[in-house]
């Protein structure tokens, strides 16, 4: 149909901030799985400091206590 709109042209269904948070969460979770939860190595993979990764984990509600860093 000529008036059909592709998904890429539709208005976003969520605010940009929510989209960014969702994507950040997915990327960080994937990196952590890849390195078996080692936050130092995940930060290196992501190109951020370990401190910034931990801060982002806290913001996203993904942070465990520091005891989870024993393997780092």
């Amino acid at each position: 149909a000529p008036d059909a709109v592709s998904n890429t042209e539709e208005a976003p269904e969520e605010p940009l901030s929510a989209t960014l948070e969702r994507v950040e969460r997915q990327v960080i979770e994937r990196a952590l799985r890849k390195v078996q939860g080692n936050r130092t190595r995940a930060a290196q993979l992501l190109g951020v400091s370990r401190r910034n990764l931990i801060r982002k984990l806290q913001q996203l509600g993904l942070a465990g206590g520091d005891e989870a860093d024993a393997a780092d």
Side-chain angles (χ1 to χ4, degrees), residues 6-57:
S6 75
N7 285 339
T8 57
E9 295 173 3
E10 290 177 9
E13 297 178 11
E14 62 186 355
L16 179 59
S17 59
T19 302
L20 291 173
E21 183 174 306
R22 182 170 43 79
V23 171
E24 282 181 323
R25 182 184 305 270
Q26 291 170 348
V27 170
I28 290 170
E29 287 175 337
R30 186 177 307 131
L32 284 166
R33 279 194 304 273
K34 187 171 184 175
V35 296
Q36 293 77 46
N38 184 306
R39 292 190 280 187
T40 298
R41 290 174 55 209
Q44 290 169 345
L45 271 181
L46 295 168
V48 299
S49 70
R50 181 178 173 279
R51 180 182 305 256
N52 283 342
L53 174 60
I54 291 171
R55 187 175 296 126
K56 184 57 71 173
L57 288 168

